[in-house]
Amino acid sequence: MSNMELVNSEQVLIPLVIPEKFDIVIPGAPPVRLQTLDLARHVAVAPDGKDFVVATFTDTNMGRTIVTAVFPLQGHYLTLVRLPVCEYETDDPEVAIQRHITLVQAIQQGQLKAYVKKNQ
């Protein structure tokens, strides 16, 4: 096999784009240590005591742009990371961050189910 055959193989490298981090302060919602592709991440506590993580991150490797997702927490650990309560996609980072803030506030007010139903 020649070197030229190796260069023309079907393997394609996907560049890793590190997103801009947003320093968002939401009263009553402590930020969480950001992961590599995160724009923002917070813990939100519902009035019934249930804890959630709201994460906004880039997901270009899965064919999506910016995703805002809500994950349940149990014992301060993410549970069923692949089964989020809800997920929203957008191409606009400003829209994603505004949705992030709105979701945290909806959780804090006990309105997460209503928000999800309204925005399906």
Side-chain angles (χ1 to χ4, degrees):
M1 184 181 293
S2 71
N3 286 340
M4 191 54 99
E5 288 177 90
L6 291 175
V7 171
N8 292 328
S9 73
E10 297 207 12
Q11 294 180 354
V12 178
L13 295 177
I14 299 172
L16 179 64
V17 177
I18 307 295
E20 174 186 350
K21 307 295 186 206
F22 288 80
D23 188 22
I24 303 169
V25 176
I26 304 172
V32 182
R33 183 174 167 220
L34 296 178
Q35 297 180 11
T36 303
L37 300 177
D38 284 352
L39 278 71
R41 186 174 289 251
H42 288 82
V43 172
V45 180
D48 63 2
K50 291 183 180 177
D51 296 335
F52 298 90
V53 168
V54 179
T56 299
F57 54 93
T58 58
D59 199 17
T60 54
N61 291 340
M62 296 300 290
R64 305 185 293 180
T65 51
I66 301 172
V67 177
T68 300
V70 176
F71 300 98
L73 274 177
Q74 185 175 11
H76 302 292
Y77 293 99
L78 285 174
T79 58
L80 301 173
V81 173
R82 290 293 170 199
L83 294 175
V85 174
C86 59
E87 283 188 340
Y88 301 96
E89 295 179 42
T90 184
D91 294 334
D92 186 349
E94 297 299 326
V95 170
I97 293 302
Q98 187 55 51
R99 176 166 278 144
H100 180 99
I101 294 168
T102 303
L103 277 165
V104 169
Q105 292 170 340
I107 292 167
Q108 292 173 329
Q109 297 166 2
Q111 300 296 318
L112 179 60
K113 285 184 183 180
Y115 181 90
V116 171
K117 186 175 181 178
K118 181 181 174 185
N119 295 285
Q120 286 181 340

